[in-house]
Structures are given as C-alpha cells and as structure tokens.
Amino acid sequence: MMWGVVGYCAGGAVLLYALYKWVIPGAVQYHGGLALVWHDVIVEWILDTLTQSTRPQRLLAAVQKKATRGDPRSVVKTIDEFCNHNEWAMNVGDEKGCILDSVVSEANPACVLELGTYCGYSTVRIASLLPPHAKLITLEFNPDYAAIARQVIAWAGVGDKVQLVEGESGEWIPNLKEKFGVKTFDLVFLDHWKDRYLPDTKLIEECGLLRKGSILLADNVICPGTPDYLEYVRNSPRYKSQYFKSHLEYTKAEDGLEKSVFLG
C-alpha cells in the first residue's frame, strides 16, 4: 500500500514537471499573450517563491558563473543560453538582437539613448558595437533592475561607454541636454513600458533631441504591441519607417522591431 502511494506521488511529480518544463512551454510558444502570462507571471512567481531570489538575480548569477569577464559577446551568449534553457527573460533576445546589432553597426552612432535597461542585455549588445568615444545613456525606472544591470554591464567590460540613469523617462528626457551635454541622439532604442513609446517619442522631438537622420528603433511593437506608436511613426511625414518581422524573445510568437528614420 505504502509503495503504491509513493509510486502515485512520484508519478504525479513527474507529470507536473513534464507539464512545467515541456508541455506548457511548447503549447504557448506560438501565442505571444499566453507566452508572456506563462513565463513572465506564473513561472517567475514559482521560481521566485522556490528560490527566494528574483529572475534578474538568477540571470546575474549565471553571468558571473559562466561568462568571461570583460567579454561582452560572452555575456550576451550566456544570457541567451540562460533564457533558452533555464528561464525566459524580457531581453530583446538573440533573434531580434541580431537585427539590433545590424542597425547599430549601420548607424555607427556617437550618441545613443536606450529607454528600458532591464538587466543590461541590450545595453551590452549596443555598447560593444559603438565606436571609440561614443556614449550610451540608458534609462531604467526600476532600481532593482538598475542594480543588476550595473553589474552585468561591468562584467561585460563596457561600463566606460555607458551612463545608467535611474528614474522615469518622462522626467529625465527634458533634462538630458543639461545633465549630460547631449545635443542630439543618433540612435534611440525604445524597450521600456509600451504605453510610453509614443509620449516619450513626442517628448524627445519637443526637446530637440533628434537630428535629420536620427534613428528610432522600437522593440515589441507586435507583442505586447504598440499600436498608437506604430500609427504615429508610419503616418507621420517626419519619419520613414520599416518593420523587421521576427519573434517574441525566446519564443515562436510573432513580434518585430520598427526602425524609423527622422526626416527633420
């Protein structure tokens, strides 16, 4: 009788593990909304509870354990492996990251603004491709994320090119010229709260932070989606926009990046 109960419990545990590890992730990977609920709400809560740590802390631990210090590509690769094989995280990701790399390399920017640092993944990707003496200002609202990002950026060895600023984008954008001596940005990467894409873009315009040829590159324009932002940049005579179809980070659900060149 006892062995029957033990076997029943063991079988239940195996079934639950299979559901958690393979069945549910496989079922949601083609549906962006379900994938976000599963990975970014349910799984994160389960792992935070079980480990008494946060996802950014676990990501940092993986970087410090496996990535080569001072090698940004090693840091990026380690985070991608962590997100593909351990747990999902809301970075731009490996697939869209290649598009980001291409835009940065083509633009060869001297001054970059990133809205939404999270754990520093895209910050490291961008900074590693910047020319000498270039500057990247990255804004992060969440102080816990910022604390992790600083360590990831330092581990990658790109801290000399990065200025991480904590606070709300709407409060910082009007002060960037005065605080950092910025005239205009060659590239702006938007990857923060999706409902802030459009108001922050308009604020950047009003503050004179764009020049003719400046590039806005926006992530997650399909999933979770930024319909008001897309309508604006695609219909405004001030921009020439192009959509790069891809997938939501570390899934098979459609997402993409919108590249918008400011025409003045």
Side-chain angles (χ1 to χ4, degrees), residues 4-235:
V5 172
V6 171
Y8 178 80
C9 292
V14 170
L15 177 60
L16 287 174
Y17 182 77
L19 286 169
Y20 165 81
K21 191 69 176 177
W22 297 295
V23 178
I24 297 177
V28 304
Q29 70 170 332
Y30 291 95
H31 189 290
L34 293 178
L36 288 173
V37 171
W38 172 249
H39 292 295
D40 208 27
V41 179
I42 299 172
V43 172
E44 184 168 15
W45 177 81
I46 291 172
L47 293 176
D48 287 0
T49 302
L50 291 175
T51 66
Q52 292 299 294
S53 64
T54 67
R55 176 170 287 166
Q57 289 171 339
R58 296 188 291 274
L59 184 150
L60 173 63
V63 168
Q64 293 175 332
K65 181 179 180 180
K66 298 181 179 180
T68 303
R69 187 190 287 268
D71 184 345
R73 290 293 123 178
S74 175
V75 169
V76 167
K77 181 180 178 182
T78 297
I79 295 175
D80 283 333
E81 289 176 349
F82 174 83
C83 294
N84 275 311
H85 303 297
N86 295 86
E87 58 179 300
W88 183 94
M90 57 179 180
N91 313 302
V92 66
D94 45 3
E95 187 177 348
K96 288 184 293 181
C98 291
I99 300 171
L100 172 62
D101 290 353
S102 296
V103 172
V104 174
S105 297
E106 179 185 356
N108 195 33
C111 194
V112 181
L113 174 64
E114 178 184 38
L115 301 179
T117 316
Y118 188 44
C119 295
Y121 174 91
S122 53
T123 311
V124 170
R125 288 196 83 123
I126 295 169
S128 69
L129 296 170
L130 295 180
H133 311 299
K135 174 165 49 179
L136 166 57
I137 299 172
T138 180
L139 304 185
E140 175 54 54
F141 174 74
N142 187 313
D144 294 328
Y145 293 168
I148 296 296
R150 284 193 176 90
Q151 296 179 73
V152 171
I153 292 164
W155 196 272
V158 294
D160 59 322
K161 293 182 179 180
V162 178
Q163 178 71 56
L164 196 160
V165 181
E166 292 180 37
E168 295 184 13
S169 54
E171 294 181 359
W172 268 105
I173 288 171
N175 296 304
L176 291 175
K177 285 189 174 185
E178 179 184 352
K179 295 290 186 181
F180 300 105
V182 174
K183 292 183 179 180
T184 57
F185 289 103
D186 304 307
L187 172 66
V188 179
F189 182 51
L190 299 95
D191 196 15
H192 57 328
W193 293 106
K194 309 314 164 190
D195 60 359
R196 291 298 310 174
Y197 279 27
L198 181 55
D200 283 347
T201 293
K202 291 182 176 180
L203 186 57
I204 288 169
E205 293 172 359
E206 291 168 9
C207 293
L209 290 166
L210 300 178
R211 58 163 178 81
K212 185 177 181 179
S214 291
I215 296 170
L216 304 183
L217 186 65
D219 188 22
N220 300 128
V221 295
I222 301 300
C223 184
T226 57
D228 58 343
Y229 173 82
L230 287 183
E231 182 179 2
Y232 178 72
V233 294
R234 289 176 177 179
N235 293 289

